[in-house]
């Protein structure tokens, strides 16, 4: 699909990858609804800013009513922590599932009829390589991303009839503030060789979407997907960096 002249809505644009998605979409000639829980933090000239909390059905419904011209939905927003499932705080574990799975589902259910009315369009869900290879220390997030992968595949099947392309971006590591702070607090060294620059990743993802790809993978995404054909193994940063 051609993003020139498209109308895109992006979740979580006040920071991180979502901010770069909105900027790149504008650069490609799309109209952009840049959404955030705190719209006052969105600084993207040329974008139309909307308040959207993907875990609040009223907020999702209001966005659907306000943005009836959308034909591209980028589900980027997520709570990326959560800790381990056996030892983590249950409220944080639920929040990981609420945003990654139920929040993405609410956005897709809300906007599917809008996309249908506007010719089919496309949905891009931002997953993670941990959907395919769990990561000790954040297994709650990994499990939520696995569920979001299942949701993505289900939405693709259910929305094929209305002509909606449902795609997944499956990256490993993105050099956003959230990841850099997490690594610093955990005392983990992040190898440059497998880090994505968020602006470059947004361009790579939108190139894939424009080419009609349904799974857009970076190097760690490719490696994680390959593990699915063998016994499940947890993600190991050092091994990934040297692969
Ligand atoms: N960074 C990585 O290494 C990495 C790797 C693979 C995949 N990913 C995925 O890439 C996406 C972006 O990651 P990132 O590193 O850019 O994250 P980030 O910098 O932590 O930003 C997350 C964004 O999501 C928003 N958000 C969280 N919960 C929300 C909710 N309920 N409703 C609306 N917005 C909400 C945040 O808003 P607030 O500011 O209000 O919290 C923020 O704008 C996520 O889906 C993440 O899982 C990240």
């Amino acid at each position: 699909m051609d993003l020139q002249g498209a109308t895109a809505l992006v979740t979580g644009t006040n920071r991180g990858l979502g901010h770069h998605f909105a900027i790149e979409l504008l650069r490609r000639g799309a109209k952009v609804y840049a959404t955030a829980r705190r719209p006052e933090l969105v600084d993207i000239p040329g974008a139309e800013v909307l308040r959207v909390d993907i875990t609040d059905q009223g907020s999702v419904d209001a966005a659907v009513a306000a943005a009836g011209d959308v034909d591209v939905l980028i589900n980027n927003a997520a709570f990326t922590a959560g800790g381990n499932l056996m030892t983590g705080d249950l409220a944080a574990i639920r929040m990981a599932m609420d945003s990654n799975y139920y929040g993405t589902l609410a956005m897709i259910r809300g906007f599917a009829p809008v996309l249908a009315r506007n010719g089919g369009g496309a949905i891009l869900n931002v997953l993670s390589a941990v959907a395919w290879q769990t990561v000790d220390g954040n297994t709650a997030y990994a499990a939520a991303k696995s569920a979001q992968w299942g949701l993505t595949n289900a939405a693709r099947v259910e929305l094929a009839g209305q002509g909606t392309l449902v795609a997944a971006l499956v990256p490993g590591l993105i050099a956003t503030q959230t990841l850099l702070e997490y690594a610093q607090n955990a005392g983990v060294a992040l190898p440059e060789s497998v880090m994505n620059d968020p602006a470059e990743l947004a361009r790579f993802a939108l190139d894939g979407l424009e080419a009609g790809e349904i799974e857009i993978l970076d190097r760690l995404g490719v490696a994680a997907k390959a593990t699915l054909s063998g016994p499940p193994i947890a993600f190991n940063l050092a091994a990934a960096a040297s692969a």
Side-chain angles (χ1 to χ4, degrees):
M1 84 170 299
D2 193 356
L3 292 168
Q4 163 79 43
T7 300
L9 185 144
V10 187
T11 59
T13 62
N14 55 303
R15 59 193 172 104
L17 181 63
H19 177 83
H20 293 283
F21 264 126
I23 287 174
E24 181 59 19
L25 282 158
L26 284 166
R27 204 190 62 75
R28 291 182 190 219
K31 172 181 172 182
V32 175
Y33 291 102
T35 76
R37 286 193 283 201
R38 292 168 295 166
E40 66 278 11
L41 299 182
V42 177
D43 181 16
I44 305 173
E48 196 159 317
V49 179
L50 287 180
R51 195 193 87 80
V52 179
D53 179 339
I54 62 170
T55 62
D56 172 350
Q57 189 61 50
S59 166
V60 172
D61 292 345
V64 171
D69 52 348
V70 164
D71 57 7
V72 177
L73 171 64
I74 312 275
N75 287 310
N76 161 81
F79 177 66
T80 60
N84 271 350
L85 283 166
M86 302 306 134
T87 53
D89 173 49
L90 204 50
I93 292 168
R94 282 189 190 282
M95 209 189 297
M97 198 67 181
D98 273 348
S99 66
N100 285 285
Y101 183 77
Y102 288 108
T104 302
L105 176 59
M107 290 298 291
I108 293 175
R109 284 173 62 108
F111 277 96
V114 175
L115 297 177
R117 276 200 307 275
N118 295 331
I123 297 172
L124 177 65
N125 291 342
V126 182
L127 309 182
S128 163
V130 302
W132 295 328
Q133 238 187 325
T134 197
V135 58
D136 196 9
N138 206 359
T139 58
Y141 168 67
K145 284 297 190 194
S146 300
Q148 197 187 17
W149 181 47
L151 160 61
T152 304
N153 294 336
R156 183 176 307 116
V157 169
E158 292 190 40
L159 299 181
Q162 68 173 46
T164 301
L165 168 71
V166 180
L169 171 66
V170 193
L173 300 168
I174 313 168
T176 59
Q177 202 61 34
T178 298
L179 178 69
L180 299 178
E181 281 171 10
Y182 171 82
Q184 194 174 27
N185 294 338
V188 177
L190 296 170
E192 281 293 319
S193 59
V194 287
M195 293 289 282
N196 287 294
D197 171 78
E200 276 173 27
L201 186 65
R203 286 195 287 277
F204 174 69
L206 295 178
D207 285 348
L209 194 67
E210 287 198 304
E213 292 173 26
I214 58 170
E215 274 184 354
I216 303 160
L217 316 183
D218 73 348
R219 187 176 137 196
L220 290 185
V222 170
K225 184 130 200 216
T227 69
L228 294 179
S229 61
I233 51 165
F235 176 72
N236 177 303
L237 188 58
S242 60

